[in-house]
Amino acid sequence: MADAPIISLRGIANRFGSVTVHENLDLDVLPGEVLGLIGGSGSGKSVLLRTILGLRRPQEGDVRVLGVDIIHADEAARRAVRRQWGVLFQDGALFSSLTVIENIKVPLREFTNLPPDAMDDVAAMKLRMVGLAPEAALKYPSELSGGMRKRAGLARALVMDPAVVFLDEPTAGLDPIGAAAFDALIADLRAALGLTVVMITHDLDSLYAVCDRVAVLAEKRIYAVGTIGELLRVDHPWLREYFTGPRGRVAAGVAEVSGHAGHDAPANGQARAGTPTGTAEHAAGGVGDRAS
Amino acid sequence: MRETVPPFREPTLKGDYQRPDPDAHAGAHEPGLTCAPAAASADGAFARGMPDGTGLAQTCAHEQVFTFTGAWDVGSISRMTSRLLRHCAGVCAACGVRGDAPVVHLDLAEVSRLDTAGAQLLCRAAANMAAAGAHVVWHVPDTGRAMLLDRVRAIDISTVPRERRISPVLRALNAIGASFVEEWEQARSIIGFLGMFLVSLAAAAVRPWRLRWVSIVHHMEQTGIQAVPIVALLTFLIGLVTAYMGSEQFTRFGAQVFVVNLIEVSTLRELGVLLTALIVAGRSGSSFTAQIGAMVANEEVDAMRSMGLDPMEVLVIPRVVALVLMLPVLTFIADFMGVLGGGIASWLSLGISPGAFAVRFLEITRLANFVTGLVKAPFFALIIGIVGCFQGFRVTGSAESVGRLTTQAVVEAIFLVIVANAGFAILFMSLGV
């Protein structure tokens, strides 16, 4: 039961006019995992994220998050789910008229009845947890650097201790040191808070450093999903280029040297070990079909 | 005194995590807290996490067990905060009375959900008791939770500055002072901006081929031609209303025909140009700020500068020049429509035929009234254009500031136009025109 998918997408189709972005797309996210979502530019990663969040209604298909049908459920049920997820948009999406600490307190104000002092305490804790300097609390978003805005956005996403966190390109636009620190932060918070994380990323280092599994969005569906080791065995030109191109090789080399390569992730329980392999085989089967 | 934290296995980076509690999604358990002397439960039931064997129980006479149950999370702790802190205060008070330090056991084995906020509250309570001299012993069987508590304990939030809650009176005084300083600064920089504009304009006047004529014509269309319908309609209506109101007053002493004089002096001298300026301030002044502001926020202006283009020359001069050229034209249209409206109203309400109106109008019209109205137009255009562009350049980063400064540009432009109009009235009066 504990390993039932926390998010499950079935048969999703997204079309913009005559352009089909997704067709018959399936995806499962297991509780407690960090799932990376990769795909070329324009492959519809952000559209998929918006679909999961219920910001966009797909033409076909079902989205279930934490057991709630996001598309057809009534507003009360959807509200209840929204309280249990946190979203970090690309540039933080902080409210520009509020200070950082006020931004972090927004969900607390909306969804809890904590007294003001306790809200300040909880928000201050999250501010420090994501590694922001104390002085950042009273600054406005326009006074922050891009990296600090992302951290503040993450603090806001985490303030309710959600079950699921969605990250849209969390490390894009950060310097390598900042990006590595952000990766470590996500891994750390995941371990401490038991988060499930879905992250869109282009950053190979992030994939190796924090992702348990990686889902590849290609050919209008989730083409393959599995550990990086499994994906390396999938025969697809884009994937091959992605992982074995010059940047991919460097990232893989670094990951091996530093000793926490993603594809050697310990298998936790039968279901977790089983599902990715199954999906990867399915994907490999798909490739075989096309070849014949 | 001190806190004893049982050692726990350091979880590996991957894989070892606290599973989200499935019940958490289905509505949390009520949190609970019982507080009892250890004697009641110390015997067998409480063997699980006791550090250092049983030594403590023998050395300390006074022991308390806090047993936490249910969900201690951000949604539920507000109900428990005061209760927990009350128990804490009891322990703290006991510390002062007894000679030996009391021992407090915090038992988290029955907790169904613990999040950061809950952990924070527990840590705060523990820290309070430890500071008062109690010996706090944690019993946390779950490694994930132990790690969360550890992390929370390690973070010091006292350095995070709080928003100061100041009295409304002080806040109001502060706001008044701040706005004075801001207006002063702004007045200085807007004069500086005007100076820069005039220098650039003089440079362009020497070499007119450097002027961006395409851009000027574009803005003439945007700010001038497209404003014609609304300017015409509004001034027509105002002329109509002025004539109606005037005719009512003049009829009382049988001087209906002076309605024409009223129309002539009010429309040509004041209302035509002023209304046009106000409409244009709302229409074009705001759009200048929004356009330039969006470009500043999007770093387009910086890109322009880095390419060696002068934003003053590229953005400001075409807009202001176009406005200075078009506002007199719009004013002329406004004058015409105002008089037309007045004429129609006097025909309808007083029976002054259009022919009679025209004759009377031509007979009494002084060129000076028409010219004084028209002469003000370029100056108003300059005010509107400069304020609009100036505020656009003040945008900093956020989208919110674009909106705020756009509003400010319109308010300021209208304010300055009316002030300038008063100045012109005094000037013309003393000149006797």
Side-chain angles (χ1 to χ4, degrees):
Chain A
M1 183 59 204
D3 277 304
I6 203 162
I7 299 171
S8 86
L9 280 68
R10 288 290 173 269
I12 299 293
N14 269 310
R15 302 189 191 92
F16 293 93
S18 61
V19 181
T20 302
V21 179
H22 302 132
E23 188 75 65
N24 205 16
L25 179 150
D26 297 343
L27 177 66
D28 283 330
V29 180
L30 306 175
E33 75 171 339
V34 178
L35 181 84
L37 184 61
I38 62 173
S41 296
S43 59
K45 300 183 293 292
S46 296
V47 175
L48 187 61
L49 182 65
R50 290 174 58 82
T51 308
I52 299 173
L53 295 176
L55 297 173
R56 183 191 153 73
R57 210 188 169 95
Q59 268 79 6
E60 290 165 28
D62 284 319
V63 181
R64 297 185 77 82
V65 179
L66 298 164
V68 174
D69 183 337
I70 293 293
I71 302 167
H72 301 107
D74 60 4
E75 190 52 37
R78 274 190 280 181
R79 259 179 84 86
V81 173
R82 283 192 198 124
R83 293 171 55 161
Q84 292 177 46
W85 74 37
V87 187
L88 169 62
F89 289 95
Q90 261 193 45
D91 196 34
L94 298 172
F95 302 118
S96 54
S97 56
L98 302 179
T99 60
V100 167
I101 202 85
E102 286 170 338
N103 259 289
I104 300 173
K105 280 194 286 187
V106 167
L108 294 176
R109 282 187 199 285
E110 290 301 310
F111 296 127
T112 73
N113 51 359
L114 290 179
D117 282 343
M119 273 191 208
D120 280 341
D121 286 348
V122 171
M125 175 61 67
K126 284 295 181 331
L127 180 95
R128 300 291 284 132
M129 267 191 163
V130 298
L132 281 170
E135 302 80 61
L138 299 185
K139 288 189 173 157
Y140 284 91
S142 56
E143 300 172 279
L144 301 180
S145 70
M148 287 164 84
R149 275 205 293 275
K150 286 203 171 169
R151 282 170 188 267
L154 185 64
R156 190 179 67 182
L158 291 175
V159 73
M160 294 288 289
D161 275 334
V164 194
V165 182
F166 298 94
L167 310 172
D168 192 355
E169 305 219 9
T171 55
L174 300 187
D175 65 274
I177 297 168
F182 209 93
D183 287 343
L185 171 71
I186 290 166
D188 230 22
L189 291 175
R190 191 274 291 260
L193 305 176
L195 299 172
T196 303
V197 181
V198 177
M199 62 196 276
I200 294 181
T201 187
H202 279 301
D203 189 340
L204 283 152
D205 296 316
S206 290
L207 290 181
Y208 279 103
V210 290
C211 292
D212 298 312
R213 293 196 302 154
V214 175
V216 183
L217 195 53
E219 304 186 10
K220 297 173 186 170
R221 60 195 171 91
I222 298 295
Y223 188 82
V225 52
T227 62
I228 293 179
E230 286 160 346
L231 291 182
L232 286 169
R233 292 194 289 275
V234 177
D235 187 31
H236 185 273
W238 186 82
L239 262 179
R240 213 170 31 232
E241 183 66 19
Y242 190 85
F243 283 115
T244 58
R247 284 165 171 250
R249 245 177 273 145
V250 170
V254 170
E256 261 157 39
V257 169
S258 65
H260 39 89
H263 46 267
D264 292 333
N268 276 289
Q270 295 288 324
R272 279 190 80 207
T275 313
T277 326
T279 325
E281 272 166 14
H282 171 77
V287 175
D289 288 348
R290 280 192 310 114
S292 60
Chain B
M1 189 177 167
R2 66 199 165 104
E3 290 181 59
T4 306
V5 182
F8 59 90
R9 194 165 52 89
E10 184 72 44
T12 53
L13 185 66
K14 282 167 179 289
D16 200 351
Y17 49 79
Q18 174 195 355
R19 288 228 184 270
D21 183 348
D23 293 331
H25 313 321
H29 298 292
E30 273 300 299
L33 167 64
T34 56
C35 183
S41 63
D43 309 336
F46 208 18
R48 40 178 175 256
M50 198 82 88
D52 312 328
T54 52
L56 281 169
Q58 286 151 10
T59 52
C60 301
H62 186 58
E63 282 194 54
Q64 285 275 323
V65 180
F66 284 31
T67 308
F68 298 91
T69 55
W72 284 73
D73 62 12
V74 68
S76 58
I77 54 168
S78 64
R79 292 195 288 279
M80 300 305 295
T81 308
S82 59
R83 196 158 140 208
L84 175 60
L85 293 179
R86 202 168 56 239
H87 284 304
C88 282
V91 171
C92 293
C95 290
V97 177
R98 302 240 174 177
D100 53 348
V103 177
V104 179
H105 297 277
L106 302 179
D107 181 9
L108 272 67
E110 307 294 321
V111 169
S112 65
R113 182 174 148 81
L114 180 73
D115 70 359
T116 322
Q120 217 175 329
L121 176 61
L122 265 48
C123 287
R124 189 172 131 209
N128 282 355
M129 290 189 284
H135 185 135
V136 179
V137 185
W138 291 86
H139 301 276
V140 189
D142 182 302
T143 52
R145 283 176 190 163
M147 187 172 163
L148 177 63
L149 285 164
D150 231 31
R151 169 177 284 278
V152 166
R153 208 177 289 121
I155 292 176
D156 176 21
I157 60 167
S158 64
T159 52
V160 176
R162 300 296 162 97
E163 295 153 54
R164 277 183 302 161
R165 297 187 174 89
I166 51 176
S167 80
V169 178
L170 273 179
R171 199 198 311 261
L173 284 176
N174 186 33
I176 292 171
S179 70
F180 262 109
V181 172
E182 203 207 315
E183 291 299 328
W184 173 245
E185 290 294 320
Q186 229 190 93
R188 283 164 54 110
S189 37
I190 202 166
I191 290 171
F193 188 81
L194 179 66
M196 275 161 63
F197 168 78
L198 291 176
V199 168
S200 294
L201 192 67
V206 180
R207 291 167 298 173
W209 62 92
R210 296 264 317 194
L211 279 176
R212 287 156 200 273
W213 290 105
V214 174
S215 186
I216 290 176
V217 170
H218 168 78
H219 286 296
M220 282 170 77
E221 198 229 330
Q222 292 282 316
T223 60
I225 310 293
Q226 291 187 7
V228 167
I230 185 155
V231 166
L233 179 65
L234 291 185
T235 46
F236 175 80
L237 291 177
I238 294 290
L240 209 69
V241 171
T242 314
Y244 266 120
M245 296 295 115
S247 66
E248 205 164 286
Q249 303 301 321
F250 284 122
T251 316
R252 290 191 192 167
F253 39 94
Q256 288 93 329
V257 83
F258 281 101
V259 165
V260 184
N261 298 48
L262 173 70
I263 299 291
E264 189 256 350
V265 75
S266 66
T267 304
L268 297 192
R269 200 174 171 120
E270 296 293 334
L271 288 184
V273 64
L274 199 57
L275 280 172
T276 311
L278 298 189
I279 294 166
V280 168
R283 247 191 118 259
S284 304
S286 60
S287 82
F288 289 177
T289 307
Q291 287 164 356
I292 293 176
M295 291 180 79
V296 170
N298 202 19
E299 297 187 320
E300 288 171 56
V301 172
D302 290 338
M304 215 176 256
R305 283 203 183 98
S306 73
M307 282 187 265
L309 299 171
D310 179 9
M312 188 61 87
E313 195 180 305
V314 179
L315 299 176
V316 179
I317 288 184
R319 284 179 169 79
V320 178
V321 167
L323 204 56
V324 168
L325 292 176
M326 287 315 283
L327 201 62
V329 178
L330 287 172
T331 301
F332 181 79
I333 295 170
D335 286 351
F336 178 80
M337 293 303 290
V339 171
L340 185 68
I344 290 176
S346 11
W347 188 24
L348 294 178
S349 68
L350 300 174
I352 301 174
S353 73
F357 185 89
V359 170
R360 172 78 186 159
F361 188 79
L362 292 176
E363 189 183 317
I364 59 150
T365 298
R366 288 167 58 221
L367 189 64
N369 280 346
F370 175 67
V371 172
T372 48
L374 215 53
V375 131
K376 292 187 276 190
F379 291 95
F380 292 173
L382 190 68
I383 289 170
I384 296 165
I386 289 289
V387 169
C389 293
F390 170 76
Q391 297 291 1
F393 281 109
R394 285 182 67 215
V395 165
T396 49
S398 71
E400 184 240 349
S401 72
V402 177
R404 190 166 48 79
L405 290 171
T406 303
T407 311
Q408 202 174 335
V410 175
V411 172
E412 243 163 51
I414 289 177
F415 171 79
L416 289 176
V417 161
I418 291 176
V419 169
N421 192 47
F424 273 118
I426 295 167
L427 177 71
F428 290 141
M429 198 103 78
S430 52
L431 288 179
V433 287

